[in-house]
Amino acid sequence: QVQLVESGGGLVQAGGSLRLSCVASGIIFSVTAMGWYRQAPGKQRELVAHITRGVTTHYADSVEGRFTISRDNTKNTVYLQMSSLKAEDTAVYYCAAGKVLSPTAVRFDYWGQGTQVTVSS
């Protein structure tokens, strides 16, 4: 059974930083693509960033240069370091695990329960 457990969310002032963590179990983590999505109230879930098993990364334009995704295969953990946070980054952040379909496409099959990030302006 695949489990993804996120942690690290919370309340932070604009301009501040947070680091999200996601521990995975039930998968061969080292060969699995991992990602972070977010969903703000009234909006669709959107991709924030993903990282392949080869540590190739992709970011949404809205977070490029401010967020960094990384992974530690020895701990089955993926991280999202968020800096220069803005009020519009407020959302529930979800960890996801999946498979690389092509150099530009990843299919995510498993999801965590989400962690709330609130940025006060």
Side-chain angles (χ1 to χ4, degrees), residues 2 6 10 12 16 20 34 37 54 63 67 71 80 100-102 118:
V2 178
E6 303 102 332
V12 64
L20 305 182
M34 300 297 297
Y37 277 72
V63 307
F67 291 10
R71 64 191 298 159
L80 185 68
V100 175
L101 300 179
S102 74
T118 302

Side-chain angles (χ1 to χ4, degrees), residues 4-85:
L4 303 174
V5 180
E6 303 102 332
S7 61
L11 174 65
V12 64
Q13 287 189 332
S17 299
L18 277 177
R19 188 177 80 157
L20 305 182
S21 301
C22 171
V23 179
S25 60
I27 57 174
I28 304 175
F29 184 81
S30 61
V31 300
T32 301
M34 300 297 297
W36 288 95
Y37 277 72
R38 68 185 180 186
Q39 187 167 20
K43 295 187 177 182
Q44 289 189 331
R45 189 174 298 190
E46 62 174 358
L47 174 68
V48 175
H50 68 70
I51 184 168
T52 67
R53 63 180 183 176
V55 300
T56 299
T57 57
H58 168 81
Y59 296 93
D61 290 343
S62 59
V63 307
E64 182 82 54
R66 299 188 297 121
F67 291 10
T68 302
I69 188 171
S70 62
R71 64 191 298 159
D72 185 340
N73 290 343
T74 67
K75 297 180 179 179
N76 282 13
T77 301
V78 62
Y79 304 97
L80 185 68
Q81 177 67 49
M82 305 184 293
S83 303
S84 301
L85 283 161

Side-chain angles (χ1 to χ4, degrees), residues 99-107:
K99 178 181 179 180
V100 175
L101 300 179
S102 74
T104 57
V106 179
R107 185 188 74 215

